Amino acid sequence: MFDKQVYISRRKRLLEQVREGVILLLGNSEASCNYPDNQYQFRQDSSFLYLFGLDKPDLAAVIDAESGEEWIFGDDVDIDDIIWMGPQPLIADQAATVGVANTAPFARLADCLKAAQDKGRKIHYLPPYRNHNKILLHKLLGIGFDEMKAGASVDLIKAVVALRLIKEPCEIEEIDKACNLGYAMHYAAMKMLRVGMVEQELVGVMEGVVKGAGPMISFPTILSQRGETLHNHNHAAVLTEGQLCVIDAGAEVPSHYCSDNTRTLPTGGKFTQKQKDIYEIVLTANDYAREAARPGVTYRDVHLGASKIIVQGLKNLGLVRGDVDEMVAAGVQGLFMPHGLGHNMGLDVHDMEDLGENYVGYDPDQTRAKQLGLGSLRMARKLVPGHVITDEPGIYFIPALIEKWKSEGHNAQFVNFDKLESYYTFGGIRLEDDLLITPAGARILGAKRLPITVEEIENTMYTD
Ligand code: GLY
Ligand code: MN
């Protein structure tokens, strides 16, 4: 948790943008797994954490946007709770640590909101993504589940996005720490990977590194020899010689800031020439993106610049043919990289995705493309210092997608479908770093960049 002035200042800046009505912010509750008392690890809502810093379940906050009065609603523990959880600080004491003067039992939240509704005041709330909070909002505000998303306050969404998008120095310090933990997590896998291991063994090692230092991984680990499946969470395969293992994983530190890195490792410790040819294209696109990313440039243009590198590289290998600019305009790169170049990162690994991807990743004058790949770009905005983004180009050979384009004749003038058949068992390559936009350009977050060149990877693997 940061100093209380950090939270006071954030809420003050929030009220500079939301000037009328009542702001309701719901924290998260415990979520049951397979029976009520067996719960998933608790994860606080990130906007609640950002504005109120309290990392405990069953809290809600109300801010009167006109008077500035702030309340935390929550229940103090009783003796039954103390028997199971031990003594807990009083809600009033917790609220004081983040500069909130008023507290009340959770049951009083309904009265508070009803009084505001009776006066015809607007209640601003963020789009709920957990069923518990959807039910709560229904009970508190009488909103139907189908209207809940559309009824969320656009003013509040935009205000929270504007604040959270630009990371403060204290946040960057935490993200650097998360990236250092992410480094340790990936480095352990690079060192331990051996042909004959089951993928899950590496997942266990990586997640163990994180659990030893932080609360949790920042998203379910992706680790697979079938890296052409972009988010492959099946880790049952035995690693065999000559394959590529895509490892996309991240850590959270106790403050809940995240990291997200991807490396692609040759299972036997050495890349084949065919693998190297594709790897170097992805690495060039990754390096280009970091060098091109700077204030004033849109990340959409960086995505398109990286796409050009990918298409040019594939043309050099004879996998596509034609004018590179024409191919990029036609979206040929989507066949090989059907995802965006990156996303915002912070308290969420896909930062604020719950608030709406377009509010978070698009400037008001930008519209989201429909094309495969570009349409999945989660961060298109003009870059400014303080943005934290991922740089994650990839090239994948997805037989079902290639066959679909082939049967439809889609971009047939550009794609060498015959030659692509020899890549059907290739898999995929993705290389992901985390970047901070600075006044001068972009820097990789964390103290050190994970090994990434062919030489660095080969010198790291299969050595003690
Ligand atoms: N690293 C996982 C993702 O960005 O979706
Ligand atoms: Mn990512």
Side-chain angles (χ1 to χ4, degrees):
M1 193 192 286
F2 300 122
D3 183 85
K4 78 167 136 183
Q5 286 308 328
V6 170
Y7 302 102
I8 292 170
S9 153
R10 289 172 178 177
R11 297 194 300 268
K12 183 164 168 279
R13 285 182 285 136
L14 183 75
L15 292 196
E16 286 163 10
Q17 296 178 70
V18 182
R19 294 174 176 276
E20 284 178 352
V22 171
I23 299 169
L24 167 65
L25 289 147
L26 298 178
N28 279 338
S29 299
E30 300 278 13
S32 297
C33 176
N34 51 337
Y35 55 90
D37 279 349
N38 201 22
Q39 292 151 345
Y40 293 108
Q41 184 169 354
F42 174 70
R43 177 54 157 84
Q44 185 56 290
D45 173 76
S46 296
S47 292
F48 188 87
L49 206 49
Y50 181 85
L51 291 164
F52 294 95
L54 301 177
D55 194 7
K56 294 271 168 70
D58 300 321
L59 297 172
V62 166
I63 308 175
D64 186 318
E66 290 152 50
S67 70
E69 198 173 282
E70 300 172 328
W71 289 81
I72 296 276
F73 293 87
D75 295 327
D76 288 321
V77 292
D78 61 18
I79 186 61
D80 288 332
D81 300 317
I82 290 170
I83 289 168
W84 294 98
M85 304 160 62
Q88 303 291 318
L90 295 173
I91 298 293
D93 292 342
Q94 292 182 50
T97 64
V98 291
V100 175
N102 307 297
T103 59
F106 203 89
R108 293 260 305 280
L109 176 61
D111 304 333
C112 165
L113 294 173
K114 176 146 192 337
Q117 277 183 320
D118 286 349
K119 287 186 195 142
R121 302 186 70 195
K122 179 171 170 70
I123 315 274
H124 301 269
Y125 67 87
L126 296 174
Y129 54 92
R130 289 224 185 162
N131 289 340
H132 179 95
N133 280 347
K134 290 182 187 174
I135 294 167
L136 193 57
L137 272 181
H138 173 68
K139 284 197 206 158
L140 290 169
L141 304 178
I143 308 169
F145 296 117
D146 293 340
E147 291 86 51
M148 219 163 252
K149 197 169 167 205
S153 165
V154 173
D155 289 344
L156 181 59
I157 291 171
K158 287 184 174 171
V160 171
V161 167
L163 289 175
R164 287 181 56 190
L165 260 186
I166 310 300
K167 271 61 181 182
E168 301 162 81
C170 62
E171 296 184 277
I172 293 164
E173 238 176 78
E174 292 300 309
I175 300 171
D176 270 325
K177 284 185 207 163
C179 289
N180 290 341
L181 187 52
Y183 183 103
M185 173 191 204
H186 277 267
Y187 197 77
M190 269 183 211
K191 282 287 183 197
M192 286 200 58
L193 189 152
R194 293 289 182 275
V195 162
M197 284 177 112
V198 178
E199 292 165 341
Q200 184 63 38
E201 291 179 64
L202 282 176
V203 173
V205 167
M206 294 179 76
E207 297 188 1
V209 169
V210 176
K211 287 300 263 185
M216 61 208 294
I217 51 174
S218 54
F219 60 97
T221 297
I222 297 159
L223 190 153
S224 173
Q225 286 178 126
R226 297 269 49 88
E228 77 279 11
T229 301
L230 302 184
H231 279 185
N232 199 339
H233 298 301
N234 182 314
H235 309 132
V238 175
L239 295 169
T240 55
E241 182 71 38
Q243 300 289 308
L244 290 169
C245 184
V246 170
I247 306 183
D248 183 348
E252 279 191 23
V253 281
S255 57
H256 294 293
Y257 285 87
C258 298
S259 74
D260 183 6
N261 285 104
T262 309
R263 289 295 183 264
T264 302
L265 308 178
T267 48
K270 303 282 176 217
F271 291 95
T272 65
Q273 188 57 49
K274 188 172 182 177
Q275 291 170 340
K276 257 188 228 175
D277 288 344
I278 302 295
Y279 191 93
E280 293 291 359
I281 303 170
V282 180
L283 179 56
T284 306
N286 173 295
D287 283 333
Y288 156 82
R290 185 186 63 260
E291 282 152 22
R294 57 187 57 251
V297 171
T298 69
Y299 211 46
R300 183 182 187 280
D301 282 346
V302 181
H303 171 103
L304 289 171
S307 300
K308 264 191 205 180
I309 288 169
I310 287 169
V311 169
Q312 179 66 59
L314 294 170
K315 180 178 167 176
N316 296 345
L317 295 174
L319 293 172
V320 296
R321 60 197 156 215
D323 178 78
V324 169
D325 288 334
E326 267 180 49
M327 285 194 271
V328 170
V332 168
Q333 65 279 5
L335 179 59
F336 305 97
M337 186 175 95
H339 62 71
L341 182 63
H343 49 86
N344 288 283
M345 192 182 79
L347 277 168
D348 307 301
V349 71
H350 287 185
D351 214 18
M352 297 176 273
E353 210 155 276
D354 56 313
L355 304 185
E357 278 189 30
N358 291 350
Y359 287 123
V360 178
Y362 285 74
D363 288 319
D365 62 347
Q366 292 178 314
T367 16
R368 197 162 178 148
K370 296 221 172 355
Q371 212 173 55
L372 184 64
L374 186 57
S376 294
L377 182 61
R378 294 185 161 107
M379 169 56 167
R381 283 178 184 269
K382 187 180 276 190
L383 299 170
V384 298
H387 278 153
V388 167
I389 53 176
T390 64
D391 166 14
E392 51 178 311
I395 295 180
Y396 315 86
F397 297 93
I398 306 168
L401 181 60
I402 298 169
E403 285 292 320
K404 181 169 189 290
W405 278 36
K406 186 177 171 181
S407 69
E408 291 169 357
H410 189 49
N411 279 324
Q413 69 275 38
F414 299 127
V415 181
N416 187 345
F417 289 110
D418 290 342
K419 191 155 186 190
L420 275 176
E421 278 181 28
S422 66
Y423 284 79
Y424 278 14
T425 55
F426 183 96
I429 294 175
R430 178 162 64 251
L431 296 173
E432 179 176 23
D433 292 325
D434 301 327
L435 304 180
L436 168 69
I437 303 302
T438 65
R443 81 155 167 95
I444 293 178
L445 284 147
K448 281 187 289 186
R449 189 187 198 189
L450 274 162
I452 193 164
T453 64
V454 164
E455 199 186 2
E456 286 166 354
I457 297 277
E458 291 187 348
N459 288 344
T460 305
M461 294 181 72
Y462 284 86
T463 53
D464 292 333

